[in-house]
Amino acid sequence: MVVARETVGWLSAEPRGAGPALRATVLERAGQAVALTLLSERSRRNEKRQAETALLHELRRPWNVDEDSARRRAHEPGIGVLRHGVLSEAAPAAWLPVVVRWERPGAGPLGEHQGGGAVLDALAWALGRERTTALAGRLGAASVAVLVPLAARTPQDAVVERVLTAAEQRLEGAWRVLAGVSDPESGMIGAAARLDEAGMIAEAAVSLLVRDGCAEGGPSQDGTVADRAARHDAARSGSVRSGSARRRCFRAQDVRLRGLLAMLRGDERVQMFARAELGSVLDVERHEDRELLTQFLACGGNKSLLAQRIHLSRPALYGRLARLERRLGVLLDDPESRTSLHVALLIAEVEGC
């Protein structure tokens, strides 16, 4: 049976003496009833989603909404702290601002313009499975904003990780998700004001995962995501995550400098700095120079360690580094030069150069 171009199931009827025409009529009427019910449920779900998205955008620019009215409007569709499965009348202890991004595995970078509806459906299902609620709506073409009401002493990141893991299971491998999380606020308006920060964190995490190739776990070059973040997860969440070991939940301390650069993406002054520092190293034909510089900086300027890492003799390495210095017009032994070059490389990666 197909409803709105989507196969939702099969209907069958046992003969038991009925003729083919009667069986066909029964199946047709049953199918129509099921289709009408599903379409009605989908319509109600879409109306609820539109109302939540509208409230989210009002909270981000709170000209005509105050905290009490916002909480009442969220309470109407059942958003708040659940106690024993029942919506509590008490205000949540805090609201956690979260921005979710998604990708289709093997189909390019995160931020595809498709999949928002499927991700929202999966998040709603996962929140129900987690026995919690959230105000969720589209933030942009490739992101979903979520405000999660929290009871006191709730392990924040653990809840987000479990919801995202369950959502991925619901999506059955069609999409992968990650989230940027900002600090919780006592009110909805304050939490909504932090959604831009959470979105920046999510965007920076995307860039980090693409750079390090650690979407399925494993150490990164500087420990920014995989190893350092993994050490902090247990301490922050108070519990061990279930499911895949891949990291899905990120905070500002996980993205650090790259988060700032992601926020400055598209700024011509930042791009000019990167071009001035790196020059011809940004050219496609200079890929080997760029890789050498990246590895050199990842080793902290330690030439012996670099020679071991790239399996090159030290005399050959020194020759390549000398040529690289001449192209860049700087001394690689100078700490300030290495810092500037490192920042320039991060800018180039964030900008997609």
Side-chain angles (χ1 to χ4, degrees):
M1 183 175 60
V2 178
V3 178
R5 299 181 182 179
E6 179 182 353
T7 300
V8 296
W10 297 89
L11 287 174
S12 63
E14 296 186 15
R16 295 192 177 180
L22 179 58
R23 289 200 300 271
T25 300
V26 170
L27 288 173
E28 182 180 356
R29 299 289 173 83
Q32 290 173 351
V34 172
L36 287 173
T37 300
L38 292 175
L39 288 173
S40 177
E41 290 177 356
R42 180 173 297 181
S43 177
R44 287 195 296 269
R45 186 169 64 245
N46 289 338
E47 289 178 1
K48 179 177 180 292
R49 184 171 296 165
Q50 290 171 4
E52 290 186 29
T53 300
L55 178 55
L56 270 172
H57 286 288
E58 287 186 50
L59 289 171
R60 296 182 68 209
R61 304 290 184 268
W63 297 306
N64 298 314
V65 62
D66 57 36
E67 192 65 38
D68 289 338
S69 64
R71 191 163 64 84
R72 284 196 300 270
R73 286 173 60 183
H75 201 272
E76 289 174 2
I79 298 167
V81 174
L82 297 179
R83 300 188 186 281
H84 307 293
V86 178
L87 187 64
S88 173
E89 293 291 336
W95 291 85
L96 185 68
V98 180
V99 170
V100 178
R101 297 282 302 271
W102 60 87
E103 67 165 336
R104 187 187 295 277
L110 293 178
E112 298 186 40
H113 292 187
Q114 301 174 347
V119 171
L120 276 169
D121 287 342
L123 286 174
W125 178 86
L127 287 164
R129 179 178 175 180
E130 186 63 23
R131 293 183 177 84
T132 189
T133 64
L135 180 66
R138 294 292 292 269
L139 184 62
S143 58
V144 167
V146 185
L147 295 182
V148 184
L150 300 172
R153 297 183 298 278
T154 300
Q156 302 165 11
D157 289 11
V159 170
V160 176
E161 285 280 2
R162 289 197 298 267
V163 167
L164 294 177
T165 300
E168 277 196 357
Q169 293 172 355
R170 183 69 169 181
L171 292 166
E172 297 180 340
W175 302 92
R176 289 189 302 221
V177 295
L178 64 75
V181 182
S182 188
D183 293 335
E185 293 284 342
S186 59
M188 296 179 71
I189 294 176
R194 286 187 171 272
L195 285 171
D196 286 339
E197 179 185 349
M200 180 270 291
I201 294 169
E203 185 177 359
V206 167
S207 181
L208 283 165
L209 294 179
V210 170
R211 180 199 67 173
D212 294 332
C214 60
E216 300 300 332
S220 63
Q221 292 177 356
D222 58 7
T224 306
V225 173
D227 46 4
R228 182 176 59 80
R231 289 196 300 269
H232 291 313
D233 267 352
R236 269 209 312 264
S237 67
S239 64
V240 179
R241 299 193 312 273
S242 60
S244 170
R246 180 172 63 83
R247 183 81 184 279
R248 296 178 179 85
C249 178
F250 296 87
R251 293 275 189 163
Q253 55 265 46
D254 301 319
V255 298
R256 307 179 72 187
L257 175 60
R258 186 173 293 267
L260 173 63
L261 298 179
M263 188 168 57
L264 297 175
R265 175 181 290 174
D267 190 308
E268 292 184 359
R269 295 166 296 180
V270 175
Q271 296 171 351
M272 187 182 303
F273 169 80
R275 288 194 296 268
E277 285 291 321
L278 298 174
S280 63
V281 172
L282 289 175
D283 297 341
V284 176
E285 58 269 20
R286 295 293 185 188
H287 173 74
E288 291 185 357
D289 286 343
R290 181 169 176 171
E291 181 62 23
L292 177 63
L293 178 60
T294 301
Q295 294 285 353
F296 176 75
L297 295 173
C299 292
N302 187 322
K303 298 176 183 177
S304 298
L305 177 59
L306 176 59
Q308 295 175 7
R309 177 173 290 186
I310 65 176
H311 308 292
L312 198 65
S313 68
R314 294 180 68 177
L317 174 62
Y318 293 163
R320 288 186 60 184
L321 289 175
R323 289 191 294 273
L324 181 59
E325 282 184 325
R326 289 194 293 271
R327 292 192 182 102
L328 292 171
V330 300
L331 294 176
L332 293 177
D333 288 335
D334 177 37
E336 186 173 338
S337 292
R338 292 200 300 272
T339 299
S340 293
L341 290 168
H342 191 189
V343 172
L345 280 174
L346 288 176
I347 293 170
E349 291 171 2
V350 169
E351 296 284 351
C353 301

